[in-house]
Amino acid sequence: DVKVTQSSRYLVKRTGEKVFLECVQDMDHENMFWYRQDPGLGLRLIYFSYDVKMKEKGDIPEGYSVSREKKERFSLILESASTNQTSMYLCASGALYGYTFGSGTRLTVV
Amino acid sequence: GQQVMQIPQYQHVQEGEDFTTYCNSSTTLSNIQWYKQRPGGHPVFLIQLVKSGEVKKQKRLTFQFGEAKKNSSLHITATQTTDVGTYFCAGINTGTASKLTFGTGTRLQVTL
């Protein structure tokens, strides 16, 4: 089974901090994705990557950046955390035949 | 941009009753996928539909893809408490490779 591992289950950060969320997959998938999940809004795509060093903006990229230096690792960066970025962040890996999600990181910005 | 809406947003049923959630896309989809997220968990892939009018079954779950490939439904027969969770549809827009757009989800509560 594909495993997608997110480095932290819970994080609390201060406003203005730079925040790194890490995601690693073990099945050599080319495609990786970052979503945020908020009540009533479903899952919204922040950024995705089709290959190493490739990235594309999703629907809500503002305030975020990403890094993909190795195929198995996709990092989400909050350049200057704000309280409206408090959310559940989900990383996914996969392709046309279904995504595998990590367990999520619940980020609280205070 | 592409929008995928689901109705209802929430449904509460008694165990043994049937349940249906509907998914509608603003654009034609190349395929549609369904996911289930248990409370406190992450979305888990259930199934993918590709062909116009396709119907697939998984035990008590029946999935349909509309003829126009813009809508889909998930029907659960005789719900059980293990069906509790949020069900998401997710579509791949024609021409956007493997980027999924998720629906807003339907939260199902089942009580005895």
Side-chain angles (χ1 to χ4, degrees):
Chain A
D1 282 350
V2 177
K3 282 201 176 141
V4 178
T5 304
Q6 293 185 232
S7 53
S8 303
R9 188 78 173 101
Y10 298 95
L11 273 180
V12 180
K13 296 291 182 181
R14 294 191 181 277
T15 300
E17 275 193 78
K18 190 168 186 176
V19 181
F20 294 86
L21 302 183
E22 306 288 342
C23 176
V24 178
Q25 54 101 357
D26 67 357
M27 282 298 292
D28 203 35
H29 282 163
E30 292 180 346
N31 304 318
M32 296 187 73
F33 308 84
W34 275 104
Y35 287 86
R36 66 177 280 177
Q37 184 173 23
D38 301 288
L41 298 177
L43 283 78
R44 293 180 292 166
L45 182 63
I46 305 171
Y47 267 96
F48 58 105
S49 171
Y50 290 134
D51 203 348
V52 175
K53 298 192 186 294
M54 303 280 289
K55 60 184 178 183
E56 289 199 33
K57 293 180 180 179
D59 300 317
I60 52 164
E62 296 78 20
Y64 303 95
S65 62
V66 290
S67 172
R68 190 148 181 220
E69 297 296 319
K70 293 185 177 181
K71 194 172 187 178
E72 67 270 19
R73 187 179 298 269
F74 191 34
S75 303
L76 179 69
I77 304 156
L78 286 67
E79 297 290 343
S80 177
S82 63
T83 54
N84 63 15
Q85 292 178 309
T86 291
S87 186
M88 170 67 82
Y89 289 88
L90 289 160
C91 175
S93 167
L96 290 174
Y97 308 109
Y99 288 5
T100 298
F101 282 85
S103 298
T105 296
R106 184 164 294 281
L107 173 68
T108 302
V109 182
V110 298
Chain B
Q2 179 189 16
Q3 291 188 348
V4 180
M5 302 299 295
Q6 276 182 259
I7 55 170
Q9 193 171 2
Y10 170 77
Q11 187 150 8
H12 183 182
V13 300
Q14 299 285 326
E15 190 177 47
E17 292 181 336
D18 293 355
F19 160 77
T20 304
T21 173
Y22 300 91
C23 176
N24 292 286
S25 171
S26 58
T27 58
T28 302
L29 302 171
S30 60
N31 67 35
I32 195 151
Q33 299 177 6
W34 285 90
Y35 292 77
K36 177 182 178 181
Q37 184 175 25
R38 294 182 186 276
H42 56 274
V44 174
F45 175 74
L46 294 176
I47 206 162
Q48 175 174 271
L49 304 168
V50 178
K51 298 176 184 175
S52 169
E54 188 171 12
V55 178
K56 285 188 176 180
K57 292 192 176 185
Q58 286 182 349
K59 298 183 180 178
R60 296 178 293 102
L61 278 61
T62 302
F63 304 84
Q64 292 189 334
F65 199 9
E67 294 289 342
K69 301 185 80 173
K70 293 181 74 173
N71 58 73
S72 181
S73 65
L74 157 61
H75 179 81
I76 302 178
T77 303
T79 55
Q80 299 175 358
T81 54
T82 53
D83 296 324
V84 165
T86 301
Y87 293 85
F88 291 96
C89 63
I92 293 181
N93 202 3
T94 305
T96 61
S98 52
K99 186 185 86 163
L100 278 177
T101 297
F102 280 80
T104 45
T106 296
R107 185 161 70 93
L108 172 64
Q109 180 64 35
V110 181
T111 52
L112 295 171

